[in-house]
Coordinates of all heavy atoms in Angstrom, one line a residue:
G1 N -38.1 50.5 -23.6 CA -38.8 51.6 -23.3 C -38.4 52.4 -22.1 O -37.4 52.0 -21.5
H2 N -39.3 53.3 -21.8 CA -38.8 54.3 -20.7 C -39.7 54.0 -19.5 O -39.8 54.9 -18.8 CB -38.9 55.7 -21.3 CG -37.9 56.1 -22.3 ND1 -36.6 56.3 -22.0 CD2 -38.0 56.1 -23.7 CE1 -36.0 56.6 -23.2 NE2 -36.8 56.5 -24.1
D3 N -40.4 52.8 -19.4 CA -41.2 52.6 -18.3 C -40.4 52.3 -17.0 O -40.8 52.4 -16.0 CB -41.9 51.3 -18.7 CG -42.9 51.5 -19.8 OD1 -43.2 52.7 -20.1 OD2 -43.2 50.5 -20.5
Q4 N -39.0 51.9 -17.1 CA -38.4 51.6 -16.0 C -37.9 52.8 -15.2 O -37.4 53.9 -15.9 CB -37.0 50.8 -16.4 CG -37.3 49.5 -16.9 CD -37.7 48.4 -15.9 OE1 -37.6 48.7 -14.6 NE2 -38.5 47.5 -16.4
P5 N -37.9 53.0 -14.0 CA -37.5 54.0 -13.2 C -36.1 54.2 -13.3 O -35.3 53.2 -13.5 CB -37.9 53.8 -11.7 CG -38.1 52.5 -11.6 CD -38.5 51.8 -12.9
P6 N -35.4 55.3 -13.1 CA -34.0 55.5 -13.0 C -33.4 54.6 -12.1 O -34.1 54.3 -10.8 CB -33.7 57.0 -12.7 CG -35.0 57.7 -13.0 CD -36.1 56.7 -12.9
L7 N -32.1 54.1 -12.2 CA -31.6 53.2 -11.1 C -31.6 53.7 -9.8 O -31.8 52.9 -8.8 CB -30.2 52.9 -11.7 CG -29.5 51.8 -11.0 CD1 -30.4 50.5 -11.2 CD2 -28.1 51.5 -11.6
S8 N -31.4 55.1 -9.6 CA -31.4 55.6 -8.3 C -32.7 55.5 -7.6 O -32.7 55.7 -6.3 CB -30.9 57.1 -8.3 OG -31.8 57.8 -9.0
C9 N -33.7 55.3 -8.3 CA -35.0 55.1 -7.6 C -35.4 53.7 -7.4 O -36.6 53.5 -6.7 CB -36.1 55.9 -8.6 SG -35.9 57.6 -8.8
A10 N -34.7 52.9 -7.8 CA -35.1 51.4 -7.7 C -35.0 51.1 -6.1 O -34.2 51.5 -5.5 CB -34.1 50.5 -8.5
R11 N -36.0 50.2 -5.8 CA -35.8 49.6 -4.4 C -34.8 48.9 -4.1 O -34.4 47.9 -5.0 CB -37.2 48.7 -4.2 CG -38.3 49.5 -3.5 CD -39.5 48.6 -3.3 NE -39.3 47.4 -2.7 CZ -39.4 47.2 -1.4 NH1 -39.4 48.2 -0.6 NH2 -39.2 46.1 -0.8
K12 N -34.0 48.9 -3.1 CA -32.9 48.2 -2.7 C -33.3 47.1 -1.7 O -33.8 47.3 -0.7 CB -31.7 49.1 -2.0 CG -31.1 50.0 -3.0 CD -30.1 50.9 -2.3 CE -29.7 52.1 -3.2 NZ -29.0 53.0 -2.5
V13 N -33.1 45.8 -2.2 CA -33.3 44.6 -1.4 C -32.1 43.9 -1.1 O -31.3 43.6 -1.9 CB -34.5 43.7 -2.0 CG1 -34.8 42.5 -1.2 CG2 -35.7 44.4 -2.4
A14 N -31.8 43.5 0.1 CA -30.6 42.8 0.5 C -31.0 41.5 1.3 O -32.2 41.4 1.7 CB -29.8 43.7 1.5
L15 N -30.0 40.7 1.2 CA -30.3 39.2 1.7 C -29.3 39.0 2.7 O -28.1 39.2 2.4 CB -30.2 38.2 0.5 CG -30.2 36.7 1.1 CD1 -31.4 36.2 1.8 CD2 -29.9 35.9 -0.3
Y16 N -29.6 38.4 3.9 CA -28.7 37.9 4.9 C -29.1 36.6 5.3 O -30.2 36.3 5.8 CB -28.9 38.8 6.1 CG -28.1 38.5 7.3 CD1 -26.8 37.7 7.3 CD2 -28.5 38.8 8.6 CE1 -26.1 37.5 8.3 CE2 -27.8 38.4 9.8 CZ -26.5 37.8 9.6 OH -25.9 37.3 10.7
A17 N -28.3 35.6 4.8 CA -28.6 34.2 5.0 C -27.7 33.7 6.0 O -26.5 34.0 6.2 CB -28.3 33.5 3.7
G18 N -28.4 32.6 6.8 CA -27.5 32.0 7.9 C -28.4 30.9 8.4 O -29.5 30.8 8.2
S19 N -27.8 30.1 9.4 CA -28.6 29.0 10.0 C -29.3 29.7 11.2 O -30.4 29.2 11.7 CB -27.7 28.0 10.5 OG -26.6 28.4 11.5
F20 N -28.8 30.7 11.9 CA -29.5 31.4 13.0 C -29.8 30.3 14.1 O -31.0 30.2 14.5 CB -30.7 32.2 12.6 CG -30.4 33.3 11.6 CD1 -30.6 33.0 10.2 CD2 -29.8 34.5 12.0 CE1 -30.1 34.0 9.3 CE2 -29.4 35.4 11.1 CZ -29.6 35.1 9.7
A21 N -28.7 29.5 14.4 CA -29.0 28.4 15.4 C -28.3 28.5 16.7 O -27.2 28.0 16.7 CB -28.7 27.0 14.6
P22 N -28.7 29.2 17.6 CA -29.9 30.2 17.6 C -29.6 31.5 17.2 O -28.3 31.9 17.1 CB -30.3 30.1 19.1 CG -28.9 30.1 19.7 CD -28.2 29.1 18.9
P23 N -30.6 32.4 17.0 CA -30.2 33.8 16.7 C -29.6 34.5 17.8 O -29.8 34.2 19.0 CB -31.6 34.5 16.4 CG -32.6 33.3 16.3 CD -32.0 32.2 17.0
S24 N -28.7 35.4 17.6 CA -27.8 36.1 18.6 C -27.9 37.5 18.4 O -28.3 38.1 17.5 CB -26.3 35.6 18.5 OG -25.8 36.1 17.4
E25 N -27.2 38.2 19.4 CA -27.1 39.6 19.4 C -26.3 40.0 18.2 O -26.4 41.1 17.6 CB -26.5 40.2 20.7 CG -27.4 40.2 21.9 CD -28.7 41.0 21.7 OE1 -28.4 42.2 21.2 OE2 -29.7 40.6 22.1
G26 N -25.2 39.3 17.9 CA -24.4 39.5 16.6 C -25.2 39.6 15.5 O -25.0 40.2 14.5
H27 N -26.2 38.5 15.3 CA -27.1 38.5 14.1 C -27.9 39.8 14.1 O -28.1 40.4 13.0 CB -27.9 37.3 14.2 CG -27.2 35.9 13.9 ND1 -27.6 35.0 15.0 CD2 -26.5 35.4 13.1 CE1 -26.8 33.9 14.6 NE2 -26.2 34.1 13.5
L28 N -28.4 40.1 15.3 CA -29.3 41.4 15.4 C -28.5 42.7 14.9 O -29.1 43.4 14.2 CB -29.8 41.5 16.7 CG -30.8 42.9 16.9 CD1 -32.0 42.6 16.0 CD2 -31.2 42.8 18.4
D29 N -27.2 42.7 15.2 CA -26.4 43.7 15.0 C -26.3 43.9 13.4 O -26.3 44.9 12.8 CB -25.0 43.7 15.5 CG -24.2 45.0 15.3 OD1 -24.5 45.9 15.6 OD2 -23.1 44.8 14.7
I30 N -26.0 42.7 12.7 CA -25.8 42.7 11.3 C -27.1 43.0 10.6 O -27.1 43.7 9.7 CB -25.4 41.3 10.8 CG1 -23.9 41.2 11.3 CG2 -25.4 41.2 9.3 CD1 -23.3 39.8 11.1
I31 N -28.3 42.6 11.2 CA -29.6 42.9 10.6 C -30.0 44.6 10.8 O -30.3 45.1 9.7 CB -30.7 42.3 11.4 CG1 -30.6 40.6 10.9 CG2 -32.2 42.7 11.1 CD1 -31.5 39.7 11.9
K32 N -29.5 45.0 11.8 CA -29.7 46.6 12.0 C -28.8 47.3 11.1 O -29.4 48.3 10.3 CB -29.2 46.9 13.4 CG -30.2 46.5 14.6 CD -29.8 47.0 15.9 CE -30.7 46.4 16.9 NZ -30.2 47.0 18.3
R33 N -27.6 46.8 10.8 CA -26.7 47.5 9.8 C -27.2 47.3 8.6 O -27.1 48.3 7.6 CB -25.3 46.9 9.9 CG -24.6 47.3 11.3 CD -23.4 46.4 11.5 NE -22.7 46.6 12.8 CZ -21.5 47.3 13.0 NH1 -21.0 48.0 11.9 NH2 -21.1 47.5 14.1
G34 N -27.8 46.1 8.2 CA -28.3 45.9 6.8 C -29.5 46.7 6.5 O -29.6 47.3 5.4
L35 N -30.3 47.0 7.5 CA -31.4 47.8 7.3 C -31.1 49.3 7.0 O -31.9 50.0 6.3 CB -32.4 47.7 8.6 CG -33.2 46.4 8.5 CD1 -34.0 46.3 10.0 CD2 -34.3 46.4 7.5
N36 N -29.9 49.6 7.5 CA -29.4 51.0 7.1 C -29.0 51.1 5.7 O -29.0 52.2 5.1 CB -28.3 51.4 7.9 CG -28.7 51.7 9.4 OD1 -29.8 52.1 9.8 ND2 -27.7 51.4 10.4
L37 N -28.9 50.0 4.9 CA -28.3 50.0 3.6 C -29.4 49.7 2.6 O -29.0 49.8 1.4 CB -27.3 49.0 3.5 CG -26.0 49.2 4.4 CD1 -25.0 48.0 4.4 CD2 -25.3 50.4 4.2
C38 N -30.6 49.3 3.0 CA -31.6 48.9 2.1 C -32.9 49.2 2.4 O -33.3 49.7 3.6 CB -31.5 47.4 1.7 SG -31.8 46.4 3.2
D39 N -33.9 49.1 1.4 CA -35.4 49.3 1.6 C -35.9 48.1 2.4 O -36.9 48.2 3.1 CB -36.0 49.7 0.4 CG -35.5 50.9 -0.3 OD1 -35.4 51.9 0.4 OD2 -35.0 50.8 -1.4
E40 N -35.7 47.0 2.0 CA -36.1 45.6 2.6 C -34.9 44.7 2.6 O -34.0 44.7 1.9 CB -37.1 45.0 1.5 CG -37.7 43.8 2.0 CD -38.6 43.0 1.1 OE1 -38.7 43.5 0.0 OE2 -39.3 42.1 1.6
L41 N -35.0 43.9 3.8 CA -33.9 43.1 4.1 C -34.7 41.7 4.4 O -35.5 41.6 5.2 CB -33.2 43.5 5.5 CG -32.1 42.5 5.9 CD1 -31.0 42.4 4.8 CD2 -31.6 42.8 7.3
I42 N -34.2 40.7 3.6 CA -34.6 39.4 3.6 C -33.7 38.6 4.5 O -32.5 38.5 4.2 CB -34.9 38.7 2.3 CG1 -35.8 39.6 1.4 CG2 -35.3 37.2 2.4 CD1 -35.8 39.2 -0.1
V43 N -34.2 38.0 5.5 CA -33.3 37.2 6.3 C -33.8 35.7 6.0 O -34.8 35.3 6.3 CB -33.7 37.3 7.8 CG1 -32.8 36.5 8.7 CG2 -33.2 38.9 8.2
G44 N -32.7 35.0 5.4 CA -32.9 33.7 5.0 C -32.5 32.7 5.9 O -31.2 32.7 6.4
V45 N -33.2 31.9 6.6 CA -32.9 30.9 7.6 C -32.7 29.7 6.9 O -33.7 29.0 6.3 CB -34.1 30.8 8.6 CG1 -33.8 29.6 9.7 CG2 -34.3 32.1 9.3
A46 N -31.6 29.2 6.9 CA -31.2 28.0 6.1 C -31.6 26.7 6.6 O -31.7 26.5 7.9 CB -29.6 27.8 6.1
V47 N -32.0 25.8 5.8 CA -32.6 24.5 6.2 C -31.5 23.6 5.5 O -31.4 23.4 4.5 CB -34.0 24.2 5.6 CG1 -34.3 22.8 5.8 CG2 -34.9 25.1 6.1
N48 N -30.9 22.9 6.4 CA -29.8 21.8 5.9 C -30.2 20.5 6.7 O -29.9 20.3 7.9 CB -28.4 22.3 6.3 CG -27.3 21.3 5.9 OD1 -27.6 20.2 5.5 ND2 -26.1 21.8 5.9
P49 N -30.9 19.6 5.9 CA -31.3 18.3 6.4 C -30.1 17.3 7.0 O -30.4 16.6 7.9 CB -31.9 17.6 5.3 CG -32.2 18.6 4.3 CD -31.2 19.7 4.5
S50 N -28.9 17.7 6.6 CA -27.8 16.9 7.2 C -27.4 17.5 8.5 O -26.4 16.9 9.1 CB -26.6 16.8 6.1 OG -26.1 18.1 5.8
K51 N -27.7 18.6 8.9 CA -27.4 19.1 10.2 C -28.4 19.0 11.3 O -29.6 19.1 11.0 CB -27.2 20.6 10.0 CG -25.7 21.2 9.6 CD -25.7 22.7 9.8 CE -24.3 23.1 9.4 NZ -24.1 24.6 9.6
K52 N -28.0 18.8 12.6 CA -28.9 18.8 13.6 C -28.9 20.2 14.3 O -27.9 20.7 14.8 CB -28.4 17.6 14.6 CG -28.4 16.2 14.1 CD -29.7 15.7 14.2 CE -29.6 14.2 13.9 NZ -30.7 13.8 13.1
Y53 N -30.0 20.7 14.5 CA -30.2 21.9 15.2 C -30.9 21.9 16.5 O -31.8 20.8 16.6 CB -31.1 23.0 14.3 CG -30.4 23.2 12.9 CD1 -31.0 22.7 11.8 CD2 -29.4 24.0 12.9 CE1 -30.5 23.1 10.5 CE2 -28.8 24.4 11.6 CZ -29.3 23.8 10.3 OH -28.8 24.3 9.2
V54 N -30.7 22.7 17.5 CA -31.4 22.6 18.7 C -32.8 23.0 18.4 O -33.7 22.4 19.0 CB -30.7 23.6 19.7 CG1 -31.6 23.8 21.0 CG2 -29.3 23.1 20.0
F55 N -33.0 24.1 17.5 CA -34.4 24.5 17.3 C -34.7 24.0 15.9 O -33.8 24.1 14.9 CB -34.5 25.9 17.4 CG -34.2 26.5 18.8 CD1 -33.0 27.1 19.1 CD2 -35.2 26.3 19.9 CE1 -32.7 27.5 20.5 CE2 -35.0 26.9 21.0 CZ -33.7 27.4 21.3
N56 N -36.0 23.7 15.6 CA -36.4 23.3 14.2 C -36.5 24.6 13.4 O -36.3 25.7 13.8 CB -37.6 22.4 14.2 CG -38.9 23.1 14.5 OD1 -39.1 24.4 14.4 ND2 -39.9 22.4 15.2
T57 N -36.7 24.4 12.1 CA -36.7 25.6 11.1 C -37.9 26.6 11.6 O -37.4 27.8 11.6 CB -37.0 25.1 9.8 OG1 -36.1 24.1 9.4 CG2 -37.1 26.2 8.8
E58 N -39.0 26.2 11.9 CA -40.1 27.0 12.2 C -39.8 27.8 13.5 O -40.0 29.1 13.7 CB -41.4 26.3 12.4 CG -42.0 25.7 11.1 CD -41.3 24.5 10.7 OE1 -40.7 23.8 11.6 OE2 -41.4 24.1 9.6
E59 N -39.1 27.1 14.4 CA -38.7 27.8 15.8 C -37.6 28.9 15.4 O -37.7 30.0 15.9 CB -38.2 26.8 16.7 CG -39.3 25.9 17.3 CD -38.8 24.7 18.0 OE1 -37.7 24.1 17.7 OE2 -39.5 24.2 19.0
R60 N -36.7 28.6 14.7 CA -35.7 29.5 14.4 C -36.1 30.7 13.5 O -35.8 31.8 13.9 CB -34.5 28.8 13.5 CG -33.5 27.9 14.3 CD -32.4 27.2 13.7 NE -33.0 26.3 12.6 CZ -32.6 26.2 11.3 NH1 -31.7 27.0 10.9 NH2 -33.0 25.3 10.5
V61 N -37.0 30.4 12.6 CA -37.7 31.7 12.0 C -38.5 32.5 13.0 O -38.3 33.7 13.0 CB -38.7 31.2 10.8 CG1 -39.6 32.3 10.4 CG2 -37.9 30.6 9.6
G62 N -39.3 31.8 13.9 CA -40.1 32.5 14.9 C -39.1 33.3 15.8 O -39.4 34.4 16.4
L63 N -38.1 32.7 16.2 CA -37.1 33.3 17.2 C -36.4 34.7 16.5 O -36.3 35.7 17.1 CB -35.9 32.4 17.5 CG -36.3 31.3 18.5 CD1 -35.3 30.3 18.6 CD2 -36.5 31.8 20.0
V64 N -36.1 34.5 15.2 CA -35.6 35.7 14.5 C -36.6 36.8 14.5 O -36.2 38.0 14.7 CB -35.1 35.3 13.0 CG1 -34.7 36.5 12.3 CG2 -33.9 34.4 13.2
E65 N -37.8 36.4 14.0 CA -38.8 37.3 13.9 C -39.2 38.1 15.4 O -39.3 39.2 15.4 CB -40.2 36.8 13.5 CG -40.1 36.4 12.0 CD -41.4 35.5 11.6 OE1 -42.0 34.9 12.4 OE2 -41.6 35.6 10.4
A66 N -39.1 37.3 16.4 CA -39.4 37.9 17.7 C -38.4 38.8 18.1 O -38.5 39.8 18.8 CB -39.7 36.7 18.7
M67 N -37.1 38.3 18.0 CA -35.9 39.1 18.3 C -35.9 40.4 17.5 O -35.8 41.5 18.2 CB -34.6 38.3 18.0 CG -33.4 39.1 18.3 SD -31.9 38.3 17.8 CE -31.9 38.1 16.0
C68 N -36.3 40.4 16.3 CA -36.2 41.8 15.5 C -37.5 42.7 15.9 O -37.4 43.7 16.0 CB -36.3 41.4 14.0 SG -34.8 40.6 13.4
A69 N -38.6 42.0 16.1 CA -39.8 42.7 16.5 C -39.5 43.4 17.9 O -39.9 44.5 18.1 CB -41.0 41.9 16.6
A70 N -38.9 42.7 18.8 CA -38.6 43.3 20.2 C -37.7 44.5 20.1 O -37.7 45.4 20.8 CB -38.3 42.3 21.2
S71 N -36.7 44.3 19.2 CA -35.6 45.3 19.1 C -35.6 46.3 18.1 O -35.2 47.5 18.2 CB -34.2 44.6 18.9 OG -34.0 43.6 19.8
L72 N -36.4 46.1 17.0 CA -36.5 47.1 15.9 C -37.7 47.9 15.8 O -37.8 48.9 15.1 CB -36.3 46.4 14.5 CG -35.0 45.5 14.4 CD1 -35.0 44.8 13.2 CD2 -33.8 46.5 14.6
G73 N -38.7 47.5 16.4 CA -40.0 48.4 16.5 C -40.5 48.4 15.0 O -40.5 47.3 14.4
A74 N -40.9 49.6 14.6 CA -41.5 49.8 13.3 C -40.5 49.4 12.2 O -41.0 49.0 11.1 CB -41.9 51.2 13.1
E75 N -39.3 49.4 12.4 CA -38.1 49.0 11.4 C -38.5 47.7 11.0 O -38.1 47.3 9.9 CB -36.7 49.4 12.0 CG -36.5 50.9 11.8 CD -36.5 51.3 10.5 OE1 -35.5 51.0 9.6 OE2 -37.3 52.2 10.2
A76 N -39.0 46.7 11.8 CA -39.1 45.3 11.5 C -40.1 45.0 10.4 O -40.1 44.0 9.8 CB -39.5 44.6 12.8
Q77 N -40.8 46.1 10.1 CA -41.8 45.9 9.0 C -41.1 45.8 7.6 O -41.6 45.4 6.6 CB -42.8 47.1 8.9 CG -43.7 47.0 10.1 CD -44.5 48.3 10.0 OE1 -44.4 49.3 9.3 NE2 -45.6 48.2 11.1
R78 N -39.8 46.3 7.6 CA -39.0 46.2 6.3 C -38.2 44.9 6.3 O -37.3 44.8 5.3 CB -38.0 47.4 6.3 CG -38.7 48.7 6.2 CD -37.8 50.0 5.9 NE -36.8 50.2 6.8 CZ -35.4 50.0 6.6 NH1 -35.1 49.8 5.4 NH2 -34.5 50.4 7.5
L79 N -38.5 44.0 7.1 CA -37.7 42.9 7.3 C -38.6 41.6 6.9 O -39.9 41.7 7.3 CB -37.3 42.6 8.8 CG -36.3 41.6 9.1 CD1 -35.0 42.1 8.6 CD2 -36.3 41.6 10.7
R80 N -38.1 40.7 6.1 CA -39.0 39.4 5.9 C -38.0 38.3 6.2 O -36.9 38.1 5.8 CB -39.2 39.4 4.3 CG -40.2 38.4 3.9 CD -40.8 38.6 2.6 NE -40.0 39.2 1.6 CZ -39.6 38.5 0.5 NH1 -40.0 37.3 0.3 NH2 -38.8 39.0 -0.4
V81 N -38.6 37.4 7.1 CA -37.8 36.2 7.6 C -38.4 34.9 6.9 O -39.6 34.8 6.9 CB -37.8 36.1 9.1 CG1 -37.0 34.8 9.6 CG2 -37.4 37.2 9.8
V82 N -37.5 34.3 6.1 CA -38.0 33.2 5.2 C -37.1 32.1 5.4 O -35.8 32.2 5.3 CB -38.0 33.7 3.8 CG1 -38.5 32.6 2.8 CG2 -38.8 34.9 3.5
A83 N -37.5 30.9 5.5 CA -36.8 29.7 5.5 C -36.6 29.3 4.1 O -37.2 29.4 3.1 CB -37.6 28.5 6.2
F84 N -35.3 28.7 3.8 CA -34.9 28.1 2.5 C -34.1 27.0 2.6 O -33.3 26.8 3.5 CB -34.2 29.3 1.7 CG -32.8 29.6 2.1 CD1 -31.8 28.9 1.2 CD2 -32.5 30.4 3.2 CE1 -30.5 29.2 1.7 CE2 -31.2 30.7 3.5 CZ -30.2 30.0 2.7
E85 N -34.1 26.1 1.4 CA -33.4 25.1 1.5 C -32.6 25.1 0.1 O -33.0 25.5 -0.9 CB -34.2 23.8 1.5 CG -33.4 22.4 1.6 CD -34.2 21.2 1.9 OE1 -35.5 21.4 2.2 OE2 -33.7 20.1 1.9
G86 N -31.3 24.6 0.2 CA -30.5 24.6 -1.1 C -29.5 25.8 -1.1 O -29.0 26.3 0.1
L87 N -29.0 26.2 -2.2 CA -28.0 27.2 -2.4 C -28.5 28.6 -2.1 O -29.6 28.9 -2.6 CB -27.3 27.2 -3.8 CG -26.7 25.9 -4.1 CD1 -26.2 25.9 -5.5 CD2 -25.4 25.5 -3.3
V88 N -27.6 29.5 -1.4 CA -28.1 30.8 -1.2 C -28.3 31.5 -2.5 O -29.2 32.3 -2.6 CB -26.9 31.6 -0.3 CG1 -27.3 33.1 -0.2 CG2 -26.9 30.8 1.0
V89 N -27.4 31.3 -3.6 CA -27.5 32.0 -4.8 C -28.9 31.7 -5.5 O -29.6 32.5 -6.0 CB -26.4 31.6 -5.8 CG1 -26.3 30.1 -6.2 CG2 -26.3 32.6 -7.0
D90 N -29.5 30.5 -5.3 CA -30.7 30.1 -5.9 C -31.9 30.9 -5.1 O -32.8 31.3 -5.7 CB -31.0 28.7 -5.9 CG -30.0 27.8 -6.9 OD1 -29.7 28.5 -7.8 OD2 -29.6 26.8 -6.6
F91 N -31.8 30.9 -3.8 CA -32.7 31.6 -3.0 C -32.7 33.1 -3.3 O -33.9 33.7 -3.4 CB -32.3 31.3 -1.5 CG -33.2 32.1 -0.5 CD1 -34.5 31.8 -0.4 CD2 -32.8 33.1 0.2 CE1 -35.3 32.4 0.5 CE2 -33.5 33.8 1.2 CZ -34.8 33.5 1.3
A92 N -31.6 33.8 -3.5 CA -31.5 35.1 -3.8 C -32.2 35.5 -5.2 O -33.0 36.4 -5.3 CB -30.1 35.7 -4.0
K93 N -32.0 34.4 -6.1 CA -32.6 34.6 -7.5 C -34.1 34.5 -7.4 O -34.8 35.2 -8.1 CB -32.1 33.5 -8.5 CG -30.8 33.7 -8.9 CD -30.3 32.6 -9.8 CE -28.8 32.8 -10.2 NZ -28.3 31.6 -10.9
D94 N -34.6 33.7 -6.6 CA -36.1 33.4 -6.3 C -36.8 34.6 -5.5 O -37.9 34.7 -5.5 CB -36.4 32.1 -5.7 CG -36.0 31.0 -6.7 OD1 -35.7 31.1 -7.8 OD2 -35.7 29.8 -6.2
N95 N -36.0 35.2 -4.7 CA -36.6 36.3 -3.9 C -36.2 37.8 -4.3 O -36.4 38.6 -3.8 CB -36.2 36.0 -2.5 CG -37.0 34.9 -1.9 OD1 -38.1 35.0 -1.4 ND2 -36.4 33.6 -2.0

């Protein structure tokens, strides 16, 4: 049918996955650049049970959210920070 909007009108969603252990200015730079390319940016915080992190998953998610809120202002509303376990490709398909 013709219910689908033209491709040029589709929302652009991007994914940036990493361990963010801990989040850095370099991560923030990539997040800022990513927001320039899409309508929504999903930041996937990887959970790898075989790795030892200084900060646990919830802390890393919180640190990314806080860093982005402090630096991006209203732009942070186009950002979603989500923890995930498993393959990035599976996470991308589910989100």
Side-chain angles (χ1 to χ4, degrees):
H2 296 282
D3 298 329
Q4 294 291 335
L7 194 55
S8 61
C9 294
R11 262 175 57 80
K12 293 180 187 160
V13 180
L15 169 63
Y16 175 31
S19 60
F20 302 96
S24 68
E25 289 295 319
H27 293 128
L28 183 61
D29 183 57
I30 293 171
I31 289 167
K32 287 177 181 176
R33 291 168 187 253
L35 284 170
N36 288 329
L37 302 173
C38 62
D39 299 311
E40 179 185 11
L41 180 63
I42 300 168
V43 178
V45 178
V47 178
N48 184 343
S50 66
K51 275 190 169 180
K52 297 275 189 226
Y53 298 109
V54 174
F55 299 103
N56 69 32
T57 303
E58 293 77 22
E59 290 170 328
R60 288 183 288 134
V61 167
L63 288 167
V64 172
E65 288 174 336
M67 176 179 72
C68 292
S71 297
L72 301 174
E75 287 294 291
Q77 294 175 354
R78 297 192 299 121
L79 195 68
R80 191 160 42 108
V81 183
V82 183
F84 76 97
E85 191 169 348
L87 299 176
V88 174
V89 67
D90 294 332
F91 176 67
K93 286 178 187 174
D94 294 341
N95 286 276

